[in-house]
Amino acid sequence: MNEHYNPQTLEPTWQTRWEERQAYEVSDDASSTGYVLEMFPYPSGAMHMGHVRNYLIGDVIARYMRLQGTEVLHPMGWDALGLPAENAAIKDKQHPEKRTAENIKSFKNEMKRLGFSYQWSREISTADPNYYKWNQWFFLKMRERDLVYRRKASVNWCNDCHTVIANEQVVDGCCERCNGTVIVRQMPEWAIRITNYAERLLENLDQLIHWPTEVIKKQRNWIGKNEGVFFDFKVMNTDVTLRVFTTRPDTIFGCSYLGISADHPDIAAIVTEKHKQQTDRFIKDQTTQKTTRQHDRSDIPKEGVNTGAIAIHPMTGEKLPVWLANFVVSDYGTGAVMSVPAHDQRDMDFAQTYDLPIKAVIKPSDNQDTDIHNGVAFIDEGILVDSDSFTGLTSKQATIAIAQHVQKQNIGEPAVTFRQRDWGISRQRYWGTPIPIVYCDQCDPNHEGIAVPYEDLPVKLPDIDVEQVLTGRGEPPLAKVSSFLNTTCPLCKGPATREAETMDTFVDSAWYFARYLDPHNNDLPFTSDKANQWFPIDVYIGGPEHSTMHLLYCRFWMMVMNEMGLTTHQEPIKTLITQGIVNGPDGRKMSKRWGNVVSPSDIIKDYGTDAVRTFVMFAGPMDKDIKWSNEQVEGCHRFLHRLWRLAYNHRDSVSILSKQSVDHDLEIQRETHKTLKRVTTDFERHSFNTIIARCMELVNFLTARKLTHTDQEKNSIVEAIQLLAAMLFPIAPHITSEIATTYCSEHLLDLGKFPTYIQELTVDKHVNYTIQINGKRRGQVTAASDATEEDIKTLINDMSQITRYLEGTIIKTIFVPKKLINFVVKP
Ligand code: ANZ
Ligand code: ZN
């Protein structure tokens, strides 16, 4: 051991050593296996502290599990395809592949310098054709299972960029990029039937007991299961029955008109001659109007037009007008609603605009007045009025009774709807996975799509002239690459064109965790043997922003892989950790905008990796936001110095290990084992900040100790330093490895065993309490040294020789821990 702690030379030495001896590689037939995974990064410019915290949590857990003798799969890869890289390419006129490769290289270097224990032999990149080949394979397999299909979907279309844009890119009805008008347009696209799994995705949430409740809640809301009733309304003089979905069947008697969406399939069949012109105009306006596709349309101004059709109320036989209404969403429920203005605000606003009847049928159960006549819907549950034989029931009772009635009378049925939509995966982009489909006019005149044969996968992205192809406007870039687009039909061998759109990059990340199991397999994405060996992921760590889409897609994909026989598991992730944000020194989110970004490499240069790792883990519980503080990094650096000095000062005592049967210094040994016990529980509950705090206390205790230089003392200090090295190894692996080479007979990693504490040493001895009454000693009692005032009082309650002095009123109790209790008694 050197006298001086010098992380800048020590850390790279260890990193090289680990790499050379392939310290983290795992064998596929280990008996005890674990899988720790962090969400793989999108390799953008530089790594930031948020990344560091994410990977570090995983690294600490993986290293701790390894110390317990578990073989831990801990891989890393790159979510390399996607929009940001393509946009950057458009800007710099440079191929996205080039920049991505550079970014990956620099990310990887930083990760190595941070001492993360990855199995680089399993590295994957989604931009690698050997990876996205399997996206294409899954696409075709899912299509065979009818889980992938072609549909027409409303998309936001920018009239100026001539491209589809995401909801998030629509600002006030305009394109975020060019400010052009955005319209809603129907476009064919490929979609995945994730909604077939909605019920299971919801049900299985109950099994995920090691997931943050916040995430479970978000997934539940996202899936949005809603129970209600379908009512069928016959339309007069037509064959059409309009089915509506309602969550409030108790309000059925207040229904005064029906609302249907502007693209409802039955419009043509019900519109009367007289109303045709105005409905046509309305439909045209609606589909070319500034608007976004969102489910909740409560805030938009209510617009609509009468179709002239008359529907028959299924319970009362009343004649109700049918209106096209802009607040009715086409792809929710049935795209038609029974409007109850008195009890739904959207229906109310619409009724007021177009002077439609408003009929109250629910009154508040406390008989309070409502504001219905002032245009405020009464939306709460209550008691039914003017509702035929259901009058007088509560909303809850009526909901059940009416649902039964509906079924018996055959005028509808109980209904379950989900908010979750199928997953549209077509993107008009270059930097994504090509969709393995060709279109042939001969064999497939309706252009439903012909699958590329499996043996022709992967369909590779063609090389391109960046400036010509990546313009950010117009048709999908691949449609401009004729060498890619023109191909032969796999069926008739005649001319055919390829699908020019690429897949949503959420496909790439929906199953990447499975490819790590078998990254070099050329025949399958992975084998079921490997899946049985490594699944499920024991701990998955990532930002809370991925609570819904990514994590739902992963769960969905796992269910499909299960059905395909690739794995016996249905759920991919046992424990989920969502880490908090690393804020800048000013408490604001680190961002170029605030100029408060702290770069990992700068800090490593000054303080070393171990200090950065210690600070990030020490700054707070891992699911809470933390604030960057240079002073605290320095504090951690000083702590590591103290640890080093302690080890250095006692280095000669190590020879004590060769002496036979030396006793221990009980005080030191107790302190050490108490620390070890608490640290062990803290590791189990992932409370890393308290682990560091406890180790700091032990180092302080050992440093402050007056030395007696006995064999017992040496023996216990050596043990303490050995155990400190083990406890801190997952967090600060370099310094502890170096200490361990002096203090442990074997290298720490090779120990494969996290030390176990000796239970007797962790319970405190008993102490004697003096019992005083009004300052006079009346006796004593023995109690555990951590006994509280209440504990002592309870013990005294059973001592009649004392209690007789306590008659009267105790006006004050003086309690000195581990020493005495004094009662001030007024007779
Ligand atoms: C009658 C009614 C009366 C309703 C009442 C509510 C209150 P959530 O809870 O968000 O799922 N609805 C159904 N399909 C719709 C669509 N395609 N577009 C817009 N609105 C639609 O919403 C369920 C309620 O939203 C349904 O219950 C329906 O209005 C409306 F006092 O039916 B309700
Ligand atoms: Zn053909």
Side-chain angles (χ1 to χ4, degrees), residues 226 245-248 251 295 327-329 332 335-338 340 343-344 346 419:
N226 229 332
F245 169 68
T246 178
T247 46
R248 292 292 304 274
T251 65
H295 171 67
F327 68 90
V328 183
V329 187
Y332 184 66
V337 302
M338 56 174 240
V340 185
H343 304 295
D344 182 283
R346 291 163 300 182
R419 181 152 313 223

Side-chain angles (χ1 to χ4, degrees), residues 196-207:
N196 280 11
Y197 294 76
E199 190 77 61
R200 233 158 94 202
L201 286 167
L202 192 67
E203 250 172 37
N204 281 10
L205 285 176
D206 292 337
Q207 298 169 22

Side-chain angles (χ1 to χ4, degrees), residues 74-92:
H74 186 220
M76 182 44 75
W78 316 102
D79 191 12
L81 294 172
L83 203 59
E86 186 161 335
N87 287 343
I90 294 170
K91 221 171 105 215
D92 331 327

Side-chain angles (χ1 to χ4, degrees), residues 414-431:
V416 178
T417 62
F418 292 90
R419 181 152 313 223
Q420 187 177 29
R421 301 275 70 112
D422 275 346
W423 175 13
I425 57 162
S426 294
R427 296 291 180 272
Q428 293 72 32
R429 287 287 170 173
Y430 167 74
W431 197 229

Side-chain angles (χ1 to χ4, degrees), residues 282 286 289-290 297-304 325-327 346 349-350 353-354:
F282 179 77
Q286 280 295 304
Q289 215 186 18
K290 290 184 186 182
R297 297 190 176 178
S298 359
D299 296 336
I300 57 173
K302 301 293 170 293
E303 285 167 20
N326 68 341
F327 68 90
R346 291 163 300 182
D349 297 344
F350 193 87
T353 310
Y354 297 104

Side-chain angles (χ1 to χ4, degrees), residues 367-413:
N367 268 322
Q368 291 274 331
D369 288 336
T370 63
D371 265 330
I372 292 172
H373 52 281
N374 290 328
V376 181
F378 173 68
I379 60 173
D380 294 346
E381 299 193 335
I383 311 284
L384 273 67
V385 295
D386 286 336
S387 296
D388 203 355
S389 61
F390 301 95
T391 300
L393 297 183
T394 64
S395 288
K396 287 225 159 45
Q397 292 165 335
T399 299
I400 296 167
I402 291 174
Q404 282 169 353
H405 178 86
V406 162
Q407 241 177 333
K408 227 184 292 147
Q409 300 299 312
N410 216 3
I411 51 173
E413 57 185 314

